[in-house]
Amino acid sequence: MKRIIYREWRIPPTRYWSLLGILAVVIGIGALAFAHMEHAGHWVTGMSNSVVWGMPHVFAVFLIISASGALNIASIGTVFRKPIYKPLGRLSGLLAAGLLMGGLLVLVLDLGRPERLVVAMTTYNFRSIFAWNIFLYSGFMAIVIAYLWSMADRKGEPFSRPIGVLATAWRLALTTGTGAIFGFIVARQAFDAAILAPMFVVMSFAYGLAIFMLVLMFGFAADARPIGDRLMRRLKNLLGIFILGVLYFTLVYFLTKVYGAKNHDLVGWFLLDGGLYTFLFWVVWVLIGALVPLGIIYHPVLSQERSWIIGACTLVIIGGLATMYVIIIGSQAYPLQMFPGQTVLESGFYDGVQGMPSPYAPTIPEILLGLGGVGVAMLVVAVGVRVLQFLPESLADEVLPPDEEKLTDGVTARSAA
Amino acid sequence: MATAAVRWSLVAVGLAWALVAQVVLAADARTYVLAGSKAATLASCVEPTDVMRRQHMQFIKHQRDETVHSGIRSSKHSLAGCVDCHVREEVSAGLVPIHHREEFCGACHAYTAVNMNCFDCHASVPNGPGAELAARAAHQAAGVHVTGEARPDGENH
Amino acid sequence: MGKTTEMNDRPEPTDPNRRQFLAAAAGVSATVVAPGVILQSVAAAPRSEPVTSEVRWGLLIDTAKCADGCSECVKACDRENGLDLQAMPEGADDALWDNQKVVWIRKVKLQDNQTGRITNLPMMCQHCEHPPCVDVCPTGASFKRADGIVMVDRHTCIGCRYCMMACPYKARSFVHLPIEGQLTRVPRGKGCVESCNLCVHRRDYGEESTACADACAEAGHGAILFGDLADPESTIRKRLSEMASRQIREDLALNTGVRYSGI
C-alpha cells in the first residue's frame, strides 16, 4: 500500500471544454424550460389539480435521495472504518453536493412562485415535514462542505471522523425526511405508509452508489487512471446488496398494503391493471432496475467486465427514475377514496369517475427542467474535479489500502494521538 | 489636509443636494397624483403625503395580515382603498389599471425599479360588486368624505 | 373582543349579552366601544375586530334535496369569486385543461355499489378543525382562521402544492395561468393554491350566507345551509341536532365544518 495522491482531473482541454459545453447546453435548455413554465403558468406542463406533482418532482426527489446515497461511500470509509473506501471519500462528498444542488434547483424552479424562495427560507411552519426538509437540505450542504474540508485539508483530519458521523446521521435523517413527505400523507392510500421513509433510505443507497460508480468509472477512464479489480468487486457487491434491499422494501410495502381489505383495489391496480404504472413497476422498476442488474452483478463472467458493470449501474438509475415515477405520480393518479362502497357516476372535478385514475402525461418543458437539474449536478462535479484535488491518481489494487482495518491500526492510531 | 478639505466639501455638496432635493420634492408634491382620479380632488391621503411616500408598503403589509388572518376590513390602509382613490379614468377608455407604466403605482415603481407584485392577484381597477365597500371603509376610517361621483364597478354590477 | 368572550359563560345560553355578542361576532355588525358593551348596529359594516373562535362557520348539505343535474351552486361560486375569469389558454389540451382549471365547488353523483341508491352532493373544502393542508404547508400560508375558515394566505404561498397532496377531499386548486380582471373582493393570481373560503369577504362585511347556499335556495332546493356551528341557537345547529349527518372521511377524525345528511 502506498500513499494516496490526489490530482486534478487532467483530460485534454478540448475534451473538457466540450464536456462543459454540452452540460451548459443541457442546463441552458432547462433554464429556458423553466422560463417558459414560469411565464405561461403551469398549464404548459402535464401537471393538473389531480396530479399536482409531476416529472420535475420525479427528477428532484431522485436527485436529492441520490445525493445522500452518494455520500455513503465517504461514510463507509470514515465512519465504518473501511480503509479501502477512504480514497473515494472526496469524490463522494463532491457528488453528493452536486446532486443535492441539482435536485433542489428543480424543486424550487417548479414552485408556483419561485421568486418567493426567500419566504420559504424565512417563514416556517414547524408542523410541516416540508419545512423540516428545508433545514435538512441546507444543513446537509453545510455538513458536506465541512466534511470535504476535513478530508482534504491536513488540519481537518482530526475532525474527519466526528464530521463523518454527523454527516451519516444527517443523511439518514434527510432521506427519512424525504420519504416522510410522502409517508405522512393520510389522504392518499398509496402514500399513507410510514415504511416509505426507510424505503427511501434504502433506495438512496442503491441510486446514489450507481451514480457514484458511473461518475468514478467515467472520470478515471477519461483520464487514463486505473481502478483495480479489488475495488470494483467491493463496489459492485455493495450495489447488489442495496438492490436486494430495495426489492425487499418493495415487497414489504405491497404486503403491508394488501393486508387491509380497503387497499385491495389499490394494490390490484398497481400490480395488475394500472396500465403504464403496472408496466413501469414490473418491467422497469423490478426487472430492468433490479433483477437484470442483480443478474449481471452476481454473474461469474459478466461481473468481471467493466462495460457490463456500467450497464448494471445505468439500469439501476433508469429503474430508480421509474420507481420515483410510479411512487410519486402513480400514487396521485389513483383516485382518492372519499366514498367507500360507492361508485362515482359523475363529477365536476375528476373524482375517479367509475374508478378511473387521473390522467397524466409529462410535457417536454417539465422533462427538460428535470434534465437541467441533472446537468447542474454533473457540472458541479466536472468543475470540482478539474480545479481541486478530488480524484486519486490511481485506485489500482497495489495502491489501495487494505479492505478491512487491522486491529492494530486503531491501537497505533490511538497511541499516536 | 487637502484630502480632508476635499472630503468636507463633498459632504457639504451632498448636504446641499439633499436640501435642494427636499425642496424640489415639496414643490412637486401634488404632481404625482394623477388628474382624473378621486385623489386629485382631495386635500391629502389617509396619512400625510411624506409619510405615505416612505411607508405605504409597511401600511399595506400590516393591513394585509390583519385582513387575511383576522378578517379586519375597516382599516384606512386598504389596497382596495388605494386603487379606488388613485385609479385614473379616461373618457374614452374608462378606468386605467393602476399598475400600468404611466399610472399612479406603476410610474413610480418603474422609476425606482421596485418590483411590485400586488396586482398579480389584486384588482388593478375597482371591479365587481362590493368593490365600493372596501373603499368606503377606508374613507370612513380616514375620516374623509368623498364627493366625487360614483364610478361604474364593472359589468357585474 | 377577547375580553367580551371571557365575560360570557358558555353554560348560560340565555344570557342576553351573549346573544348580542354572538350576533356581533357573526358579523351582523356592531361597533364595540368598551368590553362587553355594544352600542349600535349598522347593516353591513366592515369588521373592525379580529375574528374569534366563538364562531365556527360551517355548512350542512342535505343530499336528499340536492337535485340531479343542477349546478346552480357551482355557477354562483364561480361568479362570486371570479372563477369565471379563467379561459382555456390557446393551444391547451381540452381534457388536460379541464383538470387544470380552478374549481372551488363541484357536483358529485354517487351510486351505492350494493344497493344502487343514487346520491347527489356538492363537494368543496370541508373546513376541517384539524386540516391536513395546514399541517403540511411549509410556510404557514395554508391556515385556519379563528372562526373555522380554512384558507390560503396568498402572500406567503409559494405554490409548492403540498397542501393539494395532503387534502383528502381534493378541494384545492392551483392557479395554472395568469389571471386578469380580478374582482376587488377576491384577489387571485397565478402560482398560488386556493379553495373555498366560505365567501370570506361576505363574512367580513356581515352578510348572512354564502353564494352557493343562496343560489341553492333561489333554485328552490335549499340543500345547502350555512351557519355557525358553535351557536346552539343557530338554524344549522338546530337542524344538525334533529337530523343524522356525517362527515366525509370520518375515519381521519378531522372534524369537518361541512356536514352531509343522507350519505
Side-chain angles (χ1 to χ4, degrees), chain A residues 346-360:
Chain A
E346 290 166 22
S347 162
F349 203 40
Y350 290 87
D351 289 287
V353 177
Q354 304 288 1
M356 284 292 287
S358 302
Y360 172 78

Side-chain angles (χ1 to χ4, degrees), chain C residues 218-240:
Chain C
E218 219 165 275
H221 305 305
I224 306 177
L225 179 63
F226 170 81
D228 177 8
L229 298 173
D231 176 7
E233 299 301 315
S234 66
T235 318
I236 191 170
R237 266 291 286 273
K238 285 182 178 158
R239 199 83 78 76
L240 276 165

Side-chain angles (χ1 to χ4, degrees), chain A residues 38-43 45-50 52-53 57 110-113 116 119-120 123-125 127-131 180-182 185-188 191 332 336-339 341-351 359, chain C residues 89-90 92 95-96 98-101 103 106-113 118 121 123 134-140 154-162 164-170 173-174 176-178 190-192 248-249 252:
Chain A
E38 162 65 8
H39 179 74
H42 271 62
W43 70 269
T45 72
M47 291 178 271
S48 63
N49 290 323
S50 302
V52 300
W53 285 356
H57 302 82
D110 176 71
L111 292 176
R113 312 273 330 209
R116 288 197 187 149
V119 174
T123 323
Y124 291 105
N125 162 31
R127 294 188 64 128
S128 165
I129 184 71
F130 217 80
I181 286 178
F182 301 100
I185 296 178
V186 293
R188 295 177 191 263
F191 285 140
Q332 295 176 78
L336 285 167
Q337 200 179 38
M338 272 181 280
F339 307 99
Q342 313 243 13
T343 302
V344 179
L345 297 182
E346 290 166 22
S347 162
F349 203 40
Y350 290 87
D351 289 287
Chain C
E90 217 161 295
L96 179 58
D98 227 25
N99 224 323
Q100 287 176 327
K101 68 175 190 223
V103 172
R106 63 191 189 266
K107 282 291 297 286
V108 180
K109 185 176 178 181
L110 304 168
Q111 182 169 37
D112 192 291
N113 294 342
I118 303 269
L121 51 85
M123 277 293 293
V134 173
D135 282 347
V136 301
C137 177
T139 65
R154 277 165 227 274
H155 305 105
T156 41
C157 174
I158 56 172
C160 74
R161 320 192 291 284
Y162 196 19
M164 300 172 71
M165 292 283 276
C167 176
Y169 306 104
K170 205 165 170 253
S173 288
F174 179 68
H176 281 78
L177 78 174
K190 185 195 80 175
C192 290
I248 296 174
R249 290 223 62 177
L252 296 175

Side-chain angles (χ1 to χ4, degrees), chain A residues 148-209:
Chain A
L148 281 173
W149 167 78
S150 78
M151 286 188 287
D153 193 317
R154 199 177 289 274
K155 278 179 284 184
E157 212 183 338
F159 305 103
S160 180
R161 188 139 201 279
I163 296 177
V165 171
L166 178 64
T168 308
W170 200 275
R171 72 145 311 273
L172 287 175
L174 186 148
T175 357
T176 307
T178 310
I181 286 178
F182 301 100
F184 287 173
I185 296 178
V186 293
R188 295 177 191 263
Q189 269 173 285
F191 285 140
D192 183 16
I195 195 177
L196 282 175
M199 190 167 163
F200 270 56
V201 174
V202 174
M203 291 191 302
S204 81
F205 291 166
Y207 311 153
L209 180 58

Side-chain angles (χ1 to χ4, degrees), chain A residues 213-284:
Chain A
M213 286 170 70
L214 281 186
V215 169
L216 181 76
M217 284 193 270
F218 173 77
F220 270 57
D223 203 12
R225 302 188 195 196
I227 306 176
D229 286 337
R230 197 153 62 89
L231 183 70
M232 280 315 296
R233 192 171 59 240
R234 281 208 78 115
L235 287 176
K236 69 133 180 112
N237 285 345
L238 192 63
L239 184 63
I241 290 166
F242 289 162
I243 296 169
L244 285 170
V246 172
L247 279 179
Y248 169 75
F249 270 90
T250 307
L251 178 69
V252 177
Y253 168 79
F254 281 109
L255 284 179
T256 53
K257 280 289 166 202
V258 86
Y259 193 72
K262 66 172 182 178
N263 291 324
H264 287 177
D265 287 350
L266 171 80
V267 176
W269 182 75
F270 265 126
L271 301 186
L272 300 172
D273 50 19
L276 175 68
Y277 303 102
T278 304
F279 170 81
L280 284 176
F281 175 77
W282 287 113
V283 178
V284 190

Side-chain angles (χ1 to χ4, degrees), chain A residues 297-348:
Chain A
I297 286 166
Y298 292 116
H299 192 281
V301 180
L302 298 184
S303 67
Q304 306 306 314
E305 302 270 345
R306 293 287 161 90
S307 49
W308 280 93
I309 295 294
I310 290 173
C313 292
T314 311
L315 292 183
V316 169
I317 292 168
I318 293 170
L321 284 167
T323 306
M324 290 296 122
Y325 194 94
V326 173
I327 291 180
I328 295 176
I329 295 170
S331 304
Q332 295 176 78
Y334 190 73
L336 285 167
Q337 200 179 38
M338 272 181 280
F339 307 99
Q342 313 243 13
T343 302
V344 179
L345 297 182
E346 290 166 22
S347 162

Side-chain angles (χ1 to χ4, degrees), chain B residues 6-155:
Chain B
V6 169
R7 194 177 300 147
W8 281 111
S9 59
L10 277 177
V11 170
V13 168
L15 283 172
W17 170 247
L19 199 66
V20 169
Q22 290 296 322
V23 173
V24 171
L25 276 178
D28 276 357
R30 293 195 56 79
T31 61
Y32 296 104
V33 169
L34 298 173
S37 65
K38 280 187 200 168
T41 67
L42 296 170
S44 97
C45 197
V46 293
E47 304 284 349
T49 304
D50 57 332
V51 176
M52 285 310 289
R53 281 204 184 130
R54 284 171 185 77
Q55 288 182 285
H56 65 279
M57 60 301 265
Q58 281 101 318
F59 292 144
I60 295 171
K61 195 175 175 190
H62 181 73
Q63 143 98 31
R64 125 201 155 176
D65 292 339
E66 298 255 278
T67 303
V68 175
H69 290 264
S70 307
I72 293 174
R73 306 261 182 172
S74 58
S75 158
K76 58 183 172 179
H77 299 138
S78 91
L79 186 66
C82 305
V83 174
D84 183 77
C85 216
H86 283 283
V87 75
R88 192 171 60 88
E89 186 161 19
E90 258 177 24
V91 183
S92 53
L95 298 171
V96 190
I98 197 163
H99 62 306
H100 281 188
R101 258 191 98 86
E102 303 298 321
E103 301 307 312
F104 183 71
C105 297
C108 200
H109 275 263
Y111 180 71
T112 53
V114 175
N115 184 28
M116 163 184 59
N117 56 21
C118 308
F119 301 102
D120 289 0
C121 293
H122 284 276
S124 52
V125 294
N127 189 17
E132 77 286 356
L133 288 177
R136 200 190 301 149
H139 288 135
Q140 259 169 16
V144 181
H145 181 63
V146 179
T147 49
E149 60 182 54
R151 277 191 304 252
D153 275 332
E155 61 271 27

